[in-house]
Amino acid sequence: MIKGIIIVNNSGKPRLVKLYQNVFGEQRQQSVIRRVYQQVSTRPDSFCNYLEGSVPEWGENIKLIYRHYATLYFVFAVDAQESDLGILDLIQVFVEALDKRFSNVCELDLIFHSDKVHYILDEIVMGGMVLETNINSILQAINDQERMHNDSMRKAGPSDSVDTISTKLGAGRNW
Amino acid sequence: MSTQARGLNNFISDLRNSKSKSEESARVEIELAKIRKKFNPGDAKLASDGSNPSLSSYQRKKYVWKLVYIHVLGYDVDFGHAEVLALVTSKKYSEKMVGYTALSLLLRGSDPVMSRVIDTMKSDLTNAPSSSTNKKSNAPKNDAVQCLALCSLANISGLELIQAMHLEVQHILVSPSSTDQVKKKSALCLLRLTRTSPNLISGREFAPHLGNLLSQNQHLGVLTSVLSLLHGLALQQTPSYEILIPHVVHILSLLVMKKKCEREYLYYQTPSPWLQIKLLKFLQLYPNAVENHDLSTTGGGSMVGEEHVGQLIGVVSKILMETDVSDSINKSNADHAILFEAVDLIVAWGTSCPVVLREGAMKLLGKFISVREPNIRYLGLSTMAKLAQIDEASVEGAKNHQATVLVSLKDADISVRRRALDLLFVICDTDNAERIVDELVAHLVVADASIREEMVLKIAILAEKYATDLRWYVDTILKLITISGDYVSDSIWHRVVQIVTNHPQGDLQGYAAGTLFVAVAPARCHETTVRVAAYILGEFGFLIAERPGMSGDEQFRVLHQHWFTVDTGTRAILISTYAKLANLYEECRPLVAPVFAKSKNSVDVEVQQRCAEYAAMREAFSPEAVEDLLREMPPFEDKRRSALELRLLETEGENSAAVAKASIPSEVEQQRALLAAQMLSSGPIEEDMVNGMQPIEEQDDELVSKPSDEHPEDGDVDRAVGADPSGDVDGEGSAGGGMSQDDQANRVLVGIPKELIPAMRKAFSNLCTSPSGVLFENSMLQVGVKHEYVGAQGRISVFFGNLHSSPLQNFKVRVDQPDHLRMQMQGTQDLIDDGEYDSPGCTVATKTQAKLMILLEVTAPFDDAPSMRITFDTEEGEHHDYPLRLPLVATCFMEPVNLDPGAFMQRWKSLEGQDRECQEVMKLPPNAPEIDEKYMDRVSKIIVDGLKFGRCQGVDPTPWTVSGAATFRTGAQDMNGNNINVGCLVRVEANPRANAFRVTTRTLHPLCSKAIKNVSLVSIKLAM
């Protein structure tokens, strides 16, 4: 199974952390992220995408499978039950889904839409298992969710929708 | 459109702008305080569930999101649970969504508040999807709510939740009314629940339901999830799900053979690779599925019908044959993912898999490990290691790729290097051990610290397992110590000592002593080298004491130069060695005595005790008893699992391939064990073994623990003074020095007395250059040798004369037959012990002789003399055991060559280079005669008559040099059928002022150079 998914940027700032096998305590969780970052970031892109670095919090025999896109490392920590190349493909699917949803995804999208990133990931991986790999149905599920979300928002007071708009503008102005 | 609130965005911007970690955490603290106040303002009344009813939906969502964000940043969030629950129980989808997400991120299954969401979750799960009339309404679609609940449940997976809800999840999964989306999620949710609490589901009952799901569903997404669940369940209760194999094979063959797949599940034109992978993974759980597939299956037995086996094998071969290397990296990734799973399936089937498939897979992997793309190479290496373990034939297959694997061992990427190392370990056997181990050692020099320890351990195991020549093993371990001594654990060098001690055959012990003498001679060397050298020289130093520059006092000198730099553990070993040296060589005693005297007051208990006891020993016991105490150690008891394997087990775990490999003895090892057993079977040494001689590491423990155990109240100093030395030594003699005391067996074992050794050495050296003479003589036995040579062939006659007053019984001679000599032996009946069966030996009557004749041919250069071991019993009940060596050295096979000075110089120059040249300077002892012209005449006579070189007068303008040329003839033939010969040149230079000789030899073969140099030095020394 997938023990955890971590997205960190080139300088080690975590952008998404999803641990399917619980690591208790903020301290230890941070040390997992640090350890993963340290091990992955020292490897040039010409190396293979596998690293048998041990992350003791997850137990022995955990393999890190990662891909490096521009400023971000997508790191999946998996046990021996997963297909090595299958996970690489899964990362690709995840990134393609993000790319379609945000049209040309970049690090800022992950920062300011962390909720959506979580939703997309939830449609791909659930509880450490691969849920869906078909990009269309992943995006379909996300669109359905958003539509329903908006529907339920529209029923609420007008202040909400003003907020939504200003959020959008604000994001555009500052970034 | 963003679902995130502006306040949150501002907050995030603030955090991003903060200059330092402390500024960031200050900002977070402010925010947390603000949220806390919002959630619990103090004046407002809270709702019954603990949430603040005055918050708007928007505010609540915003603050909860902020908490989630803060949590993800790594700060502790321990409040706000009530607000999260309020969102979960809300009727609005947008609130529920935030609520469930926050629930799975912020809370844990064991949190007490979880019990309060059970009811909400349950009703969210079980609400049947409302009819289609609702479609257009604003009420959330129920399957979306179901999905949220399932997702959250799977992510939290608390015990209480599982108990309350697993039945619902099962129901949803098999219910025909569930949508595909819900089925997918419920399958995975259920898998997650069974992972957390196994045995939730009875396989026997649930398997048919899964069968229905597999056969009725065409939706590949659902199938993928169900297969994940099936694989997870089958891991827990494998036999229960065997009946589903036909379903799985059917789906797989649709995908592979017919490419039946909806367009959107094509991932770069490959039909749903993930589903194919899952199917293959499930099949890997049933290694017997294809067993006996060509026999008709007559009911019972396997659950898999004949047609399915055929189908399955067809599918696997199609995957193997038709996977192409594609331009698109993603396409090629997906295809190879399937391919590697298929190979894993072949590995799982093992020997029951058709050979064609196995060979095909090996060929493919061979291709993969030579590509540049690192991922494929990495996976190719690791899969090949698995495949190679199936049987002998597959190891052979993998061995063809050895050269390619060695390239990957030098890759820059540690992941690839590890896999390559692993694979090399798997394919290493007697044929290629030397090459592989030498490569590994060479690589060790540049290997980084992260992999060194692993490599050292593996090299040590391989070298021991597959050494055809144990001298090579000793050399290898020495190299390991030199290159990375810090990673050579004690168990590795203990093993060297064990092996050397347990293999008296050949000349291993003498070789080890000689090699270690050289290794420890430099002023700087690794401490582990000092330890091994100290132990080995103490035990077997006497075997080399006659070699030039390696006498007893020289041995003491090279060891003692390290005394001040080593730790106390090493000093303790050194002290035992010194005691043994002092016992053997008169000249060592004055050297050793001051060391003992000084160390008697050492602060280290172990050193102090050993010194005191050895010093006291001489006074307390008769010389014979001391002699016995300081005799060589008897062989070690063989343990089934060596300490090294245990270490490997520790680091790699029980299931590791390496461990399995290491624990099976190799052919060579079995042969060695057999040989050793034979060597020991007749001797009384066995009794020593029975009397509890333990492997060295255990003894060391004893050494440390014993004193304190037995004398808990005694002060250490008290003991060291040795108030009652006799009693003390009696009790602890064996422990104190690691010496054996139990030679008081019924039969007395007689070896070669130490005082005879110098004379023997001299006789041996003399015989090397003269055609006949006496090799050994004591009061009972005389051994004479006559030998003559023509080209590569020779004839040796050995005579064993009984000088004793009574017959010598069970008289046996065992001649070592090294690879480089082809021998035929003939002799008095029952005299020859060829190791094949337990011969009783012959009886040699008083004043008669037994004869042994050996015809031999040399096939390769060599630098040592074959050993000859003589054993017999006397009527007095003594068992005699004399390890001797035949005076058969490289120079015996020389044919003189006469060269003119020009030709000599030309050849001399052409043989320059490290491997070809051997040089040593020998200083004559102070009492030796001066080097004069007469001495030089003798030297030249030795070179010409003894070593059978042709003198090359013209190159020696002064009387102080002697040059010669010869050909070393072997019986081996090259490809054209000509005999292989080695041209040899020698040059002796004397320096009368320094009273020293320098011998230089140059030949095409390093062993030849070394052998000639050694013989020359010894002979020149004898000529004085």
Side-chain angles (χ1 to χ4, degrees):
Chain A
M1 81 177 257
I2 301 168
K3 302 281 179 179
I5 296 171
I6 293 170
I7 304 178
V8 290
N9 72 0
N10 286 351
S11 50
K13 278 248 179 262
R15 292 303 177 212
L16 175 130
V17 179
K18 191 106 183 177
L19 304 181
Y20 296 103
Q21 176 164 314
N22 265 327
V23 175
F24 295 120
E26 302 298 337
Q27 288 283 324
R28 297 184 60 196
Q29 204 160 323
Q30 290 304 305
S31 93
V32 167
I33 297 167
R34 247 196 326 277
R35 206 186 296 270
V36 166
Y37 168 71
Q38 278 161 3
Q39 298 196 28
V40 167
S41 61
T42 47
R43 294 167 61 84
D45 287 351
S46 63
F47 281 13
C48 72
N49 302 102
Y50 306 104
L51 187 63
E52 292 152 47
S54 61
V55 181
E57 284 82 354
W58 276 316
E60 289 295 310
N61 292 325
I62 290 301
K63 195 183 273 181
L64 299 180
I65 301 182
Y66 69 95
R67 277 189 165 203
H68 188 201
Y69 295 92
T71 61
L72 295 172
Y73 287 96
F74 286 68
V75 187
F76 282 43
V78 303
D79 65 8
Q81 292 302 323
E82 295 294 335
S83 156
D84 293 329
L85 284 168
I87 294 294
L88 278 188
D89 292 339
L90 192 68
I91 299 178
Q92 179 68 17
V93 166
F94 183 27
V95 174
E96 281 183 26
L98 290 176
D99 200 47
K100 285 233 169 81
R101 179 62 192 78
F102 294 113
S103 50
N104 283 330
V105 65
C106 70
E107 192 179 342
L108 289 179
D109 293 317
L110 268 64
I111 299 168
F112 287 105
H113 304 287
S114 63
D115 53 344
K116 282 211 190 105
V117 176
H118 271 286
Y119 293 144
I120 292 172
L121 185 58
D122 279 347
E123 290 301 319
I124 298 174
V125 177
M126 183 174 131
M129 273 88 47
V130 181
L131 174 67
E132 182 57 82
T133 55
N134 170 358
I135 294 180
N136 290 339
S137 65
I138 293 167
L139 292 176
Q140 185 57 46
I142 296 293
N143 285 338
D144 287 351
Q145 272 183 22
E146 273 173 15
R147 209 188 52 241
M148 280 186 293
H149 182 265
N150 292 344
D151 288 351
S152 60
M153 294 279 276
R154 210 165 293 145
K155 286 198 298 180
S159 63
D160 278 8
S161 35
V162 170
D163 241 310
T164 324
I165 295 163
S166 56
T167 306
K168 203 174 165 191
L169 290 175
R173 203 168 45 237
N174 292 338
W175 303 91
Chain B
M1 184 229 71
S2 170
T3 47
Q4 242 165 243
R6 187 181 55 178
L8 180 53
N9 278 358
N10 290 342
F11 173 56
I12 296 172
S13 304
D14 282 354
L15 289 187
R16 281 172 59 81
N17 288 335
S18 40
K19 306 267 182 311
S20 65
K21 188 81 192 162
S22 58
E23 197 178 320
E24 182 188 293
S25 60
R27 180 69 184 83
V28 168
E29 287 306 325
I30 293 170
E31 195 65 28
L32 282 176
K34 204 173 103 191
I35 299 170
R36 204 177 272 124
K37 204 159 170 215
K38 289 281 182 199
F39 283 173
N40 190 1
D43 48 356
K45 200 167 176 304
L46 295 181
S48 57
D49 60 358
S51 63
N52 182 358
S54 61
L55 286 175
S56 74
S57 156
Y58 167 74
Q59 280 174 318
R60 188 173 287 127
K61 279 189 293 185
K62 181 175 79 177
Y63 293 132
V64 167
W65 262 122
K66 279 187 181 171
L67 287 185
V68 169
Y69 190 81
I70 291 170
H71 169 81
V72 169
L73 278 182
Y75 295 90
D76 205 10
V77 175
D78 52 1
F79 66 97
H81 295 172
E83 304 299 333
V84 172
L85 294 190
L87 287 174
V88 171
T89 48
S90 155
K91 291 274 178 289
K92 276 194 215 159
Y93 182 75
S94 61
E95 292 190 358
K96 245 188 205 324
M97 196 157 104
V98 176
Y100 271 124
T101 309
L103 190 68
S104 40
L105 280 171
L106 289 180
L107 277 82
R108 285 192 282 271
S110 52
D111 275 334
V113 288
M114 276 299 172
S115 56
R116 282 159 51 192
V117 291
I118 287 181
D119 287 339
T120 318
M121 243 186 187
K122 216 176 207 167
S123 75
D124 283 347
L125 279 181
T126 51
N127 268 350
S130 28
S131 57
S132 52
T133 52
N134 259 350
K135 233 179 185 171
K136 293 250 164 84
S137 82
N138 283 332
K141 268 205 296 190
N142 282 315
D143 79 324
V145 175
Q146 263 178 320
C147 287
L148 281 182
L150 283 170
C151 190
S152 193
L153 178 57
N155 281 338
I156 299 164
S157 162
L159 274 181
E160 201 182 345
L161 293 182
I162 294 172
Q163 289 307 331
M165 265 170 283
H166 72 95
L167 286 176
E168 274 79 6
V169 179
Q170 281 186 47
H171 180 72
I172 295 169
L173 174 61
V174 299
S175 151
S177 58
S178 300
T179 59
D180 286 343
Q181 189 74 359
V182 171
K183 276 189 187 153
K184 254 175 14 188
K185 295 204 169 174
S186 57
L188 291 187
C189 182
L190 195 56
L191 173 55
R192 180 63 202 251
L193 301 188
T194 54
R195 286 232 173 108
T196 318
S197 55
N199 302 324
L200 207 57
I201 292 172
S202 142
R204 219 160 284 287
E205 291 166 24
F206 198 61
H209 290 299
L210 282 177
N212 287 339
L213 278 172
L214 289 180
S215 55
Q216 284 161 12
N217 266 289
Q218 299 301 316
H219 188 278
L220 294 184
V222 177
L223 280 181
T224 308
S225 301
V226 172
L227 247 301
S228 297
L229 173 62
L230 176 55
H231 181 245
L233 291 173
L235 273 178
Q236 291 175 0
Q237 304 176 13
T238 314
S240 306
Y241 297 94
E242 196 176 351
I243 52 165
L244 296 178
I245 294 180
H247 292 284
V248 171
V249 173
H250 178 70
I251 299 171
L252 186 62
S253 81
L254 281 183
L255 287 172
V256 175
M257 305 305 246
K258 307 223 171 78
K259 302 245 183 255
K260 188 171 181 294
C261 176
E262 293 150 49
R263 253 196 65 234
E264 50 200 28
Y265 278 92
L266 286 172
Y267 176 85
Y268 295 89
Q269 279 103 52
T270 304
S272 185
W274 289 274
L275 180 54
Q276 294 196 45
I277 290 167
K278 290 279 182 230
L279 294 162
L280 289 165
K281 275 209 183 288
F282 171 75
L283 291 169
Q284 285 163 24
L285 296 174
Y286 300 94
N288 300 322
V290 293
E291 210 156 52
N292 307 325
H293 71 282
D294 27 40
L295 306 173
S296 56
T297 36
T298 49
S302 171
M303 293 282 190
V304 192
E306 181 69 17
E307 75 270 34
H308 286 117
V309 172
Q311 211 176 359
L312 183 51
I313 289 182
V315 167
V316 172
S317 32
K318 187 170 157 98
I319 296 176
L320 282 193
M321 300 311 154
E322 300 200 350
T323 303
D324 284 332
V325 179
S326 160
D327 290 341
S328 153
I329 180 111
N330 292 318
K331 161 80 173 156
S332 132
N333 259 354
D335 288 348
H336 284 101
I338 298 167
L339 181 59
F340 278 116
E341 284 309 327
V343 177
D344 276 347
L345 182 57
I346 291 173
V347 171
W349 286 340
T351 47
S352 65
C353 171
V355 178
V356 194
L357 284 184
R358 270 149 57 194
E359 282 173 355
M362 187 56 83
K363 220 172 126 197
L364 263 179
L365 293 179
K367 211 164 78 189
F368 291 164
I369 63 170
S370 56
V371 299
R372 276 178 58 111
E373 213 280 298
N375 290 333
I376 301 290
R377 190 143 47 95
Y378 166 88
L379 292 168
L381 288 168
S382 75
T383 313
M384 190 183 273
K386 286 188 257 174
L387 190 63
Q389 282 167 42
I390 293 180
D391 62 6
E392 297 263 316
S394 45
V395 174
E396 288 303 317
K399 271 161 71 180
N400 294 335
H401 306 292
Q402 188 181 319
T404 324
V405 181
L406 285 171
V407 174
S408 283
L409 187 67
K410 299 178 182 95
D411 200 278
D413 184 347
I414 176 93
S415 297
V416 172
R417 284 203 305 272
R418 279 222 176 93
R419 288 298 119 224
L421 176 62
D422 210 44
L423 178 54
L424 282 177
F425 190 78
V426 169
I427 63 173
C428 186
D429 64 13
T430 323
D431 302 339
N432 53 15
E434 293 212 12
R435 171 100 208 281
I436 289 186
V437 168
D438 288 349
E439 282 281 352
L440 290 178
V441 170
H443 178 58
L444 188 61
V445 183
V446 290
D448 46 328
S450 49
I451 198 173
R452 271 196 171 197
E453 189 170 3
E454 194 183 337
M455 281 187 74
V456 167
L457 187 62
K458 285 187 170 169
I459 292 172
I461 290 176
L462 288 180
E464 179 191 334
K465 256 181 128 45
Y466 298 109
T468 41
D469 183 351
L470 283 172
R471 287 176 298 185
W472 170 74
Y473 164 74
V474 172
D475 283 344
T476 305
I477 302 292
L478 255 183
K479 269 190 225 159
L480 287 185
I481 298 174
T482 320
I483 295 170
S484 56
D486 291 344
Y487 295 95
V488 177
S489 59
D490 280 354
S491 40
I492 291 177
W493 80 260
H494 288 171
R495 193 74 191 142
V496 178
V497 170
Q498 277 188 18
I499 284 178
V500 171
T501 312
N502 285 9
H503 292 85
Q505 60 267 58
D507 182 34
L508 179 63
Q509 297 172 339
Y511 177 81
T515 316
L516 280 159
F517 181 92
V518 175
V520 85
R524 286 173 61 108
C525 64
H526 197 271
E527 184 155 351
T528 308
T529 311
V530 181
R531 291 184 175 207
V532 194
Y535 196 97
I536 296 282
L537 288 178
E539 293 295 310
F540 307 111
F542 71 91
L543 292 173
I544 57 162
E546 279 307 300
R547 294 193 193 169
M550 295 191 183
S551 60
D553 50 332
E554 280 296 311
Q555 291 179 24
F556 173 82
R557 194 187 55 75
V558 292
L559 286 175
H560 196 60
Q561 63 178 335
H562 302 290
W563 177 264
F564 296 101
T565 51
V566 296
D567 67 18
T568 51
T570 310
R571 284 189 189 176
I573 299 173
L574 282 172
I575 285 179
S576 291
T577 304
Y578 293 168
K580 292 193 171 202
L581 287 175
N583 182 45
L584 285 182
Y585 313 104
E586 196 68 49
E587 63 270 28
C588 280
R589 284 180 200 159
L591 300 171
V592 167
V595 180
F596 279 13
K598 231 180 198 164
S599 304
K600 258 184 172 173
N601 302 321
S602 164
V603 285
D604 184 73
V605 186
E606 187 58 38
V607 173
Q608 194 187 68
Q609 187 190 349
R610 286 193 189 200
C611 278
E613 287 177 0
Y614 286 132
M617 206 186 273
R618 296 208 167 270
E619 297 151 29
F621 291 129
S622 67
E624 293 77 34
V626 173
E627 191 89 354
D628 272 344
L629 282 172
L630 296 178
R631 193 181 290 284
E632 301 149 53
M633 297 281 282
F636 294 97
E637 198 181 332
D638 236 352
K639 277 200 288 188
R640 228 184 62 74
R641 228 173 192 170
S642 84
L644 296 192
E645 285 158 29
L646 288 177
R647 261 186 73 87
L648 196 65
L649 190 69
E650 261 171 45
T651 48
E652 308 227 344
E654 187 71 71
N655 294 327
S656 149
V659 176
K661 183 180 168 70
S663 52
I664 307 165
S666 71
E667 269 172 54
V668 195
E669 276 187 316
Q670 285 165 354
Q671 270 173 19
R672 275 208 302 265
L674 206 65
L675 221 59
Q678 277 166 0
M679 301 281 298
L680 297 172
S681 58
S682 52
I685 304 169
E686 255 184 343
E687 273 155 13
D688 288 340
M689 288 173 62
V690 178
N691 284 350
M693 289 320 298
Q694 289 141 326
I696 190 165
E697 53 264 56
E698 285 175 27
Q699 255 181 18
D700 275 356
D701 288 346
E702 229 175 67
L703 294 183
V704 178
S705 63
K706 214 164 179 177
S708 52
D709 284 348
E710 289 195 0
H711 303 272
E713 69 282 1
D714 279 7
D716 291 331
V717 185
D718 209 352
R719 286 166 44 69
V721 173
D724 182 11
S726 61
D728 213 352
V729 174
D730 203 30
E732 311 224 12
S734 65
M739 306 292 164
S740 115
Q741 233 194 345
D742 30 30
D743 266 348
Q744 287 88 343
N746 299 344
R747 276 201 299 180
V748 182
L749 174 70
V750 182
I752 298 173
K754 299 283 162 3
E755 54 274 17
L756 255 180
I757 289 176
M760 273 174 58
R761 292 280 151 188
K762 195 163 177 178
F764 174 83
S765 308
N766 257 328
L767 263 170
C768 286
T769 51
S770 64
S772 64
V774 173
L775 179 65
F776 174 83
E777 184 169 3
N778 66 2
S779 60
M780 292 188 176
L781 180 72
Q782 185 189 50
V783 181
V785 174
K786 226 164 92 176
H787 55 152
E788 53 196 357
Y789 304 88
V790 179
Q793 291 169 338
R795 185 168 67 192
I796 306 179
S797 311
V798 192
F799 308 95
F800 307 94
N802 182 353
L803 307 179
H804 197 46
S805 51
S806 60
L808 306 178
Q809 288 154 347
N810 302 334
F811 196 99
K812 280 193 281 190
V813 176
R814 188 190 164 93
V815 179
D816 180 38
Q817 302 201 15
D819 290 338
H820 52 264
L821 294 172
R822 275 202 284 268
M823 288 193 192
Q824 274 181 352
M825 281 188 276
Q826 238 178 353
T828 311
Q829 201 181 357
D830 288 333
L831 171 71
I832 301 164
D833 171 15
D834 54 8
E836 301 263 291
Y837 63 101
D838 200 1
S839 95
C842 65
T843 304
V844 184
T846 316
K847 303 276 184 295
T848 62
Q849 285 185 336
K851 273 186 220 155
L852 171 70
M853 187 158 83
I854 308 173
L855 293 173
L856 56 88
E857 187 177 54
V858 64
T859 57
F862 61 98
D863 69 339
D864 59 340
S867 70
M868 173 172 76
R869 197 178 187 104
I870 304 170
T871 53
F872 59 88
D873 297 331
T874 62
E875 282 186 341
E876 292 82 354
E878 291 175 344
H879 178 77
H880 291 252
D881 185 345
Y882 301 149
L884 302 176
R885 285 201 286 168
L886 285 171
L888 182 64
V889 291
T891 53
C892 295
F893 302 94
M894 294 295 170
E895 252 175 40
V897 173
N898 289 315
L899 291 175
D900 61 59
F904 184 92
M905 284 321 290
Q906 192 188 357
R907 291 200 188 181
W908 184 259
K909 286 223 176 77
S910 72
L911 287 173
E912 228 165 7
Q914 219 185 359
D915 281 350
R916 297 166 170 182
E917 186 191 88
C918 227
Q919 189 174 67
E920 190 167 327
V921 175
M922 175 178 69
K923 204 166 164 15
L924 293 178
N927 56 350
E930 272 184 18
I931 300 178
D932 51 13
E933 299 206 11
K934 271 188 197 152
Y935 197 156
M936 289 313 292
D937 282 347
R938 290 201 296 274
V939 169
S940 122
K941 209 165 143 41
I942 286 168
I943 298 293
V944 174
D945 295 345
L947 272 61
K948 298 195 266 186
F949 272 73
R951 175 91 195 262
C952 188
Q953 297 274 7
V955 204
D956 305 321
T958 70
W960 308 115
T961 59
V962 178
S963 309
T967 307
F968 176 75
R969 299 242 174 242
T970 74
Q973 294 185 329
D974 65 11
M975 285 188 308
N976 302 325
N978 301 323
N979 281 9
I980 297 174
N981 300 322
V982 180
C984 308
L985 302 176
V986 67
R987 196 172 161 86
V988 181
E989 295 155 287
N991 182 345
R993 241 176 296 162
N995 219 22
F997 281 102
R998 186 169 79 168
V999 174
T1000 313
T1001 55
R1002 287 187 180 177
T1003 77
L1004 272 170
H1005 199 287
L1007 275 182
C1008 259
S1009 305
K1010 200 170 149 200
I1012 298 167
K1013 181 209 74 188
N1014 287 341
V1015 178
S1016 310
L1017 281 172
V1018 172
S1019 310
I1020 292 169
K1021 200 174 174 190
L1022 277 178
M1024 76 191 180

